[in-house]
Structure formats: structure tokens, C-alpha cells
Amino acid sequence: MRVASVPSGHVYVRHLASLDGGDVERLPDPRPPEASSEQQWWPPVMLQPGWITDHANEFDVFHVHFGFDALGPEDLRRVIGELRSAGKPLVYTVHDLANPHHHDTTAHDAALDVLVPAADALITLTTGAAHEIWRRWHRLAHVVPHPHVVEFEEVPPSRPVRRTKRVGIHLKSLRANMNPLRVLRTLAPLADERGMQLVVDVHTDVVTRGMRNHAPAVVGLLGELEASGVEVHVHDYYTDQELWDYFRSLDLSVLPYRFGTHSGWLEACFDLGTRVLAPRLGHYHDQEPGVLGYELDGEEPVPVDVAAALDVVAQDPGTWQADPRWRRAQRQAIAAAHEAIYASLVDRRVP
């Protein structure tokens, strides 16, 4: 079975494949000439006008995950029209019910209003998201969990034992759903009271004047925190290996989000045994058992929730970690679920 995935090279999509090969062949991402080798799937060539029509004999199922941010509703209707004309079914995995890169929900909502009703099959990662899809569009979605993120050979047999617990918060490049100032101002004194080492990472573009994501208020707060003993690390994007080493260096990773749906970051932490503290919104807490949570009062983290989570981590012997054997079995089940969904569509005439 040949599947055109948008994208194909992303780690989530790669880990939908059966470990023994299986019967699904995913087409490689066509590389746009303007993309770097690290981002060869962006922007997705498969969504460009005419690609589906020109390559319809090369795939049996068209599967959209993400990468359609730059397309408006009319563009997406054109994609669906090309699929209908070619007689090819559309599968859409609803990763994001709220786009973490958009301050305004209008554009993403409009895209969902095209993709969700038009898809021949819907997949999402959690039961909570499936319920939300039913409430909003009266469509049933298959619930197939997020696969492992870290490769099995990268998972250490045991966690490092540290006398001083390390609590990390990564601001990345301050995408739209980040809530750094409020979360840091709540977290820093609570970690200090408990003798925990707070570690803050941020990308170079946030602290560099003239760059698009430069944020003077964040830079000012980071200076204050560093003067008080907080570790502050400024760097460019981590490679996968650097990111895994970063997670291994922490006992807790705090997600400083004001909105969102699902998190691959959370799953990577679970693979490596780094506890996660996430806001109680979206469907982060449906992904894995044992995710620590805090409520938001407006955009202010509730201090008692953050304090309670830190107290859990202070006593945690380091047992919150996915069993690699279970992850392998889960991956096989995930691959089989996708194969069954594809098989149910390939012989069906698209309505």
C-alpha cells in the first residue's frame, strides 16, 4: 500500500512504520528547492497545485498530518478536489486543534473546517481530542496514540541519580503559545525554596537584537534569574542527540504553554524518564499517565499547583519512564492500526 504522507520525514510519521517493514510504503518527501536538508519537507510539495494530479498513479492514500499553515481554505479545497478527481482517499490526523504557532485561531479553525469534514478517515492521538472533534464537527476519529519519539537504542537502561533535582524550562523561539514571563516568575522562587536547580534554555534569536523573535522583556528577566543562580543557556536549535542529552540532564521539564493540543516533547521526555509538568489544557494529560499539571488563572500559573508538582519531583525515585519493550509493542499496534485504516479505504470509491 503506497501512502503519500504530508510530511513523510517527520519523526512522528517515521515511527508509524512497522518495525518489520509491514505492507505500507510511504513516499519520500519531495524536496522543494528552497529548503535546507534539515527541513526538506517544508513547505510540502505534495500540497502544491497539480502535484496530486501529476502523481496520482504513485500512491493509494493521501495522508495529511501538518505543514498546511500557509494554505488558505480555497487552497485546501483545491487539494481535496484534486484527490476526488483522482479517486484517492484522504486521511487526516488531527494533531493540533489549536495551532501553537498562531496567536489568532481564525486561520487554523478555517483549515480544520475544510479538512475535518472532507477527510475519508480521521485519526487523533487522545480520547479527549476525539470528543472535541465530535463536538465541533460530528465526525468520529480513530484514536491512535503518539508513538515513541526517541530511538530505542538511545534510551538508557537507568536514569542518573542526582542529589540536587534539576528543573528545566525551554523557551525555544517563543512561538505563539509560549507563556515564559508568567511561568518563570512563578516557578523560580518555588524551585529555589526547595533547593532545586532551575535551568532555562532559549534560542539565540530571542536574545539577539534585530532578529525576528527578539524579546527584550524576556532578556531582562533572564538576566535577573541568572544573577540569582539560575542556569541560563542560549543556543541555536539542538540536534536530536543534543536534545536527548538535554532531557537526560533534567528531572522535570516544564511546558510553559498558554494553549495547545498534543506534545511530541512530552513523549520524548516519557521515553527518557524526565517528568513533565504541563498546563491543564488541550489534551496533554490524556497522552500518558502521570503527567504533572497546573491550572492557569487567566495566564497566571496557580502557584499551589506548581509547588505540589515540585514536591512530587523532590520525592520521585525516577520511575516515570516508558518501558522500551512496551513502546516496541505499541509501535507495532500503531502501525497495524494505520494499515487497517488505509486498507479500509483503498477499495472504496471516494464519495
Side-chain angles (χ1 to χ4, degrees), residues 118 137 231:
W137 294 282
E231 285 185 30

Side-chain angles (χ1 to χ4, degrees), residues 222-237:
L222 293 180
E224 295 174 20
L225 293 173
E226 192 168 26
S228 69
V230 172
E231 285 185 30
V232 176
H233 303 291
V234 178
H235 51 81
D236 293 329
Y237 283 82

Side-chain angles (χ1 to χ4, degrees), residues 159 162-167 187 190-191 194 196 251-254 273-278 280 285 289-294 303-321:
R159 289 276 301 170
R162 284 180 283 264
R163 180 170 298 180
T164 300
K165 298 289 187 179
R166 292 172 60 83
V167 177
L187 180 63
L190 293 172
R194 288 157 177 78
M196 295 175 162
D251 298 285
L252 176 69
S253 180
V254 180
T274 303
R275 294 299 296 259
V276 172
L277 174 58
R280 292 194 181 98
H285 293 266
V291 177
L292 302 171
Y294 64 90
V304 67
D305 290 348
V306 178
L310 294 180
D311 289 339
V312 170
V313 172
Q315 304 300 321
D316 191 349
T319 57
W320 191 79
Q321 183 172 6

Side-chain angles (χ1 to χ4, degrees), residues 12 16 63-66 68 91-96 119 121-125 133 144 338 342:
Y12 171 93
L16 301 181
H63 190 165
V64 174
H65 291 273
F66 25 71
F68 52 85
V91 177
Y92 174 43
T93 294
V94 187
H95 292 269
D96 296 312
L122 294 169
I123 300 172
T124 194
L125 312 183
I133 291 165
V144 183
H338 280 78
Y342 298 150

Side-chain angles (χ1 to χ4, degrees), residues 104-148:
D104 187 342
T105 65
T106 304
H108 192 66
D109 287 347
L112 293 178
D113 283 340
V114 174
L115 288 171
V116 173
D120 297 288
L122 294 169
I123 300 172
T124 194
L125 312 183
T126 58
T127 55
H131 292 156
E132 187 172 342
I133 291 165
W134 174 256
R135 288 195 303 270
R136 291 175 65 175
W137 294 282
H138 287 85
R139 290 294 312 273
L140 292 173
H142 299 274
V143 178
V144 183
H146 199 300
H148 69 104

Side-chain angles (χ1 to χ4, degrees), residues 37-277:
S37 59
E38 294 81 11
Q39 295 178 315
Q40 59 182 315
W41 57 272
W42 179 261
V45 173
M46 290 182 181
L47 296 179
Q48 293 180 1
W51 189 93
I52 292 167
T53 301
D54 294 343
H55 297 268
N57 63 338
E58 299 173 17
F59 66 91
D60 304 299
V61 177
F62 198 81
H63 190 165
V64 174
H65 291 273
F66 25 71
F68 52 85
D69 299 50
L71 276 65
E74 289 304 316
D75 298 309
L76 294 172
R77 291 188 187 98
R78 184 260 309 155
V79 168
I80 292 161
E82 287 193 41
L83 289 171
R84 295 292 182 255
S85 296
K88 302 295 181 177
L90 169 64
V91 177
Y92 174 43
T93 294
V94 187
H95 292 269
D96 296 312
L97 286 158
N99 191 314
H101 301 283
H102 293 181
H103 290 282
D104 187 342
T105 65
T106 304
H108 192 66
D109 287 347
L112 293 178
D113 283 340
V114 174
L115 288 171
V116 173
D120 297 288
L122 294 169
I123 300 172
T124 194
L125 312 183
T126 58
T127 55
H131 292 156
E132 187 172 342
I133 291 165
W134 174 256
R135 288 195 303 270
R136 291 175 65 175
W137 294 282
H138 287 85
R139 290 294 312 273
L140 292 173
H142 299 274
V143 178
V144 183
H146 199 300
H148 69 104
V149 173
V150 182
E151 301 295 345
F152 298 120
E153 60 270 19
E154 293 286 343
V155 177
S158 61
R159 289 276 301 170
V161 178
R162 284 180 283 264
R163 180 170 298 180
T164 300
K165 298 289 187 179
R166 292 172 60 83
V167 177
I169 180 169
H170 201 314
L171 309 183
K172 306 179 189 178
S173 290
L174 295 183
R175 66 188 187 186
N177 74 333
M178 286 285 183
N179 189 18
L181 297 178
R182 291 176 172 88
V183 174
L184 278 171
R185 288 188 176 119
T186 300
L187 180 63
L190 293 172
D192 185 59
E193 288 170 7
R194 288 157 177 78
M196 295 175 162
Q197 179 62 58
L198 180 59
V199 183
V200 183
D201 280 66
V202 66
H203 289 155
T204 307
D205 55 353
V206 174
V207 303
T208 305
R209 290 180 182 176
M211 298 194 75
R212 182 167 60 91
N213 295 315
H214 178 54
V218 172
V219 173
L221 179 57
L222 293 180
E224 295 174 20
L225 293 173
E226 192 168 26
S228 69
V230 172
E231 285 185 30
V232 176
H233 303 291
V234 178
H235 51 81
D236 293 329
Y237 283 82
Y238 279 146
T239 64
D240 285 351
Q241 189 59 59
E242 289 170 336
L243 187 59
W244 309 156
D245 291 342
Y246 164 75
F247 288 143
R248 291 188 190 102
S249 76
L250 302 177
D251 298 285
L252 176 69
S253 180
V254 180
L255 305 188
Y257 301 157
R258 53 168 62 93
F259 58 86
T261 310
H262 299 118
S263 171
W265 186 277
L266 181 157
E267 298 290 348
C269 285
F270 189 45
D271 288 333
L272 294 169
T274 303
R275 294 299 296 259
V276 172
L277 174 58

Side-chain angles (χ1 to χ4, degrees), residues 286-302:
D286 292 336
Q287 287 186 236
E288 301 296 347
V291 177
L292 302 171
Y294 64 90
E295 297 286 350
L296 288 171
D297 183 3
E299 292 194 352
E300 296 289 341
V302 174

